[in-house]
Amino acid sequence: MSTAASPDAARLLAETLAGHFPDARGRFGPFGGRFVPETLIPALERLERGMREHLHADDFQAELAAQLTGWVGRPTALTPAPRLSASWGAQVWLKREDLAHTGAHKINNAIGQALLASRLGARRIVAETGAGQHGVATAAACARLGLPCTVYMGAIDMERQAPNVGRMRLLGAGVVPVESGDRTLRAAIDEALRDWVSDPLDTYYLLGSVVGPHPYPYLVRELQSVIGREARAQILAASGRLPDALVACVGGGSNSIGAFHAFLPDAAVEIIGVEAGGRGAGLGDNAATIAYGRPGVLHGSYSVLLQNEDGQIQETHSVSAGLDYPGIGPEHALLAASGRVRYETASDAEALEGVRELSEREGILPALESAHALAGAKRWARRRPGGTILICLSGRGDKDMSTLQQTLLQAELA
C-alpha cells in the first residue's frame, strides 16, 4: 500500500484508540467520506439522521437483541480447537460465526439494517452479494420482516455459488444476474446503486460490508461489532486472559472489523487481517488491496483500491467469491495506515489447505473466505509457539462445495 499521502501513523493510532473516527464528515482519518451523485445525497442524509435517531436507542437495541437471540442464534460459540492446537503448537480458539442463522456473520448486519429500514418507512430492499451469503442473509431478514427484496449478483458469482442463489429465491427474493463489468461483486454493487438512485425515497439499499459512502462503513461496523464483544467476553471467561493474537479474513472487511473493534484498545493483542493473495502479486491475480493497492475512490468512498497506473480499477481473482472486491473498507485503510492492524495475504493454495486441515482435524467445514484467516493464523502460530490465537470463523463451507469439488476433491481422485 502506498503511504506517500498517509498522515503521521502515531497520531492516527492515538486518534483511533481515542474513538475519534469516523468524524462528522464520515472520515476515518483521510479515508471514507461521501463521493456520490447529487441524487443520492438526500437519501444518505436521511439514512444518517435515521441511524443517529434509532441505532443506539434503547427500544431499537432491545428489538435487535431479541432478533439476534431468538432468530439468529447469538451468542455464537467460542470453540477450542485441540487437534489443530496440537498440530500448530499454539492454543487455537474459533469464534463460530458459521453457526449463525444462514451460515455466516452477514446476518448480524442484514437483520439490523432491515429493522432500521422498516423504521425509516422503506417499501422495498435492494442488496448486492458476492459469495451469496449477504444475499441469503438479506433475503432471510426481509422475509422475517415482510419486506420485498431484490438482490443483484454477478453472473460469474452466480455460477460459483448456485446453492446460495437457490436459497435466496426460496426465501422470496428476486435475484438479478449482472452481466456488465467484471460480473462479480464490484459490478453487483454498481447495479444496486443504480437501482437505489432510481427510487431513493421508497427503496433502501442494504449494503453488505464496511464499504461505500458514509454512513455505511460506520453502520455496518456497529452492527457487526457484536462478534468482537462476544468473543472478548467469552475468551476471558474460558481462559482468564485475552488472546495473544486475533485473526480474520478481509475482503470488504465486515467480519474482520466486527471482530477487531472490541480488541483495538488492547495493545497486547496482535491483530491480523488476511487478504486474498490469489495466484500471485500481479494485478488481476489477487484481491489483496492493502498489500498491492493505492488510495482512490470507489463506490462513494475514498479508500485503498486495486488499480493500474492510469487509475482504472482492476479485476481481481480469488478462489473465494466473497473476497474478490477490489477495495477495502475505509476503517481498515486507517488501521493499516496507523499500524494497529497488520495485513497479510494467503494464496488460493493456502486457503484450500486451510479448508482441508480444519475439516479433517476438527470436523468443521469452513468457508473459503474463513480459510484465509486459518492460513494466516497458522503462520502466526509457527512464529509464536505456545501462544494463544483467536480466529474469526466467518462462515461455513457448504456454499463452496462446487469449488471444492473442482479443486481439493478432484485432486484427491487424480
Side-chain angles (χ1 to χ4, degrees):
M1 170 182 161
S2 171
T3 58
S6 297
D8 178 70
R11 179 180 60 80
L12 275 181
L13 179 59
E15 292 181 351
T16 299
L17 299 181
H20 290 175
F21 300 122
D23 62 19
R25 300 178 303 151
R27 292 276 189 153
F28 296 85
F31 305 105
R34 186 180 286 163
F35 299 85
V36 295
E38 287 296 321
T39 51
L40 273 184
I41 294 295
L44 287 166
E45 290 177 341
R46 206 163 42 245
L47 170 58
E48 185 176 6
R49 287 193 301 271
M51 181 191 71
R52 300 291 180 192
E53 177 183 355
H54 296 293
L55 183 61
H56 295 295
D58 290 345
D59 60 337
F60 182 88
Q61 285 294 314
E63 187 177 11
L64 176 59
Q67 294 287 356
L68 291 175
T69 301
W71 185 64
V72 172
R74 304 207 71 89
T76 57
L78 182 72
T79 301
R83 297 191 66 223
L84 207 61
S85 298
S87 173
W88 291 1
Q91 186 175 4
V92 181
W93 296 85
L94 307 172
K95 179 56 175 167
R96 300 289 305 282
E97 292 304 290
D98 59 310
L99 297 179
H101 178 46
T102 69
H105 70 290
K106 293 293 188 181
I107 195 67
N108 306 321
N109 171 60
I111 189 61
Q113 283 201 58
L115 287 170
L116 181 59
S118 294
R119 292 201 174 205
L120 298 181
R123 297 186 179 182
R124 64 185 287 264
I125 301 292
V126 296
E128 85 300 326
T129 195
Q133 284 302 133
H134 173 59
V136 170
T138 301
C142 288
R144 178 75 168 172
L145 301 182
L147 289 167
C149 176
T150 299
V151 179
Y152 290 91
M153 189 172 188
I156 290 174
D157 290 337
M158 288 184 72
E159 293 174 7
R160 291 198 286 183
Q161 300 292 337
N164 273 346
V165 176
R167 293 171 73 196
M168 284 183 269
R169 287 173 171 156
L170 281 171
L171 290 164
V175 184
V176 179
V178 178
E179 296 285 357
S180 60
D182 62 4
R183 299 192 297 155
T184 63
L185 180 59
R186 173 164 63 110
I189 293 176
D190 289 339
E191 289 303 314
L193 284 168
R194 289 189 187 101
D195 188 320
W196 192 27
V197 168
S198 71
D199 183 21
L201 289 176
D202 291 331
T203 297
Y204 182 95
Y205 177 24
L206 205 160
L207 186 56
S209 194
V210 286
V211 299
H214 178 65
Y216 281 111
Y218 169 79
L219 173 59
V220 178
R221 193 273 309 280
E222 290 296 283
L223 292 170
Q224 291 292 5
S225 62
V226 64
I227 302 171
R229 290 197 304 272
E230 285 180 5
R232 193 178 188 282
Q234 287 169 323
I235 199 162
L236 282 171
S239 68
R241 63 185 295 269
L242 293 174
D244 297 308
L246 167 63
V247 184
C249 66
V250 182
S254 63
N255 94 92
S256 45
I257 210 70
F260 295 169
H261 202 256
F263 291 87
L264 290 177
D266 300 308
V269 179
E270 188 176 355
I271 303 178
I272 303 163
V274 185
E275 299 185 292
R279 297 177 295 237
L283 278 177
D285 287 332
N286 60 75
T289 306
I290 295 292
Y292 305 117
R294 294 183 292 114
V297 174
L298 177 65
H299 295 140
S301 178
Y302 179 74
S303 189
V304 180
L305 317 174
L306 290 170
Q307 52 189 307
N308 64 19
E309 293 180 357
D310 298 321
Q312 297 299 308
I313 303 302
Q314 294 298 285
E315 294 187 9
T316 59
H317 164 79
S318 173
V319 71
S320 57
L323 297 185
D324 61 3
Y325 186 64
I328 197 167
E331 190 165 9
H332 281 292
L334 169 68
L335 293 174
S338 71
R340 178 61 187 97
V341 177
R342 185 172 80 250
Y343 292 83
E344 301 178 349
T345 68
S347 68
D348 287 351
E350 289 175 309
L352 288 165
E353 181 55 31
V355 171
R356 182 195 301 277
E357 193 167 12
L358 188 64
S359 299
E360 293 181 353
R361 292 191 185 279
E362 299 293 345
I364 299 171
L365 174 62
L368 279 165
E369 291 79 9
S370 309
H372 288 72
L374 291 166
K378 184 176 183 178
R379 283 200 300 265
W380 182 92
R382 297 293 191 234
R383 296 193 300 267
R384 288 282 304 276
T388 299
I389 189 162
L390 171 60
I391 304 168
C392 182
L393 204 67
S394 60
R396 64 176 180 247
D398 311 51
K399 67 180 179 59
D400 296 315
M401 283 308 301
S402 175
T403 300
L404 294 173
Q405 286 171 334
Q406 296 170 27
T407 52
L408 285 180
L409 299 179
Q410 197 171 74
E412 288 180 358
L413 296 173

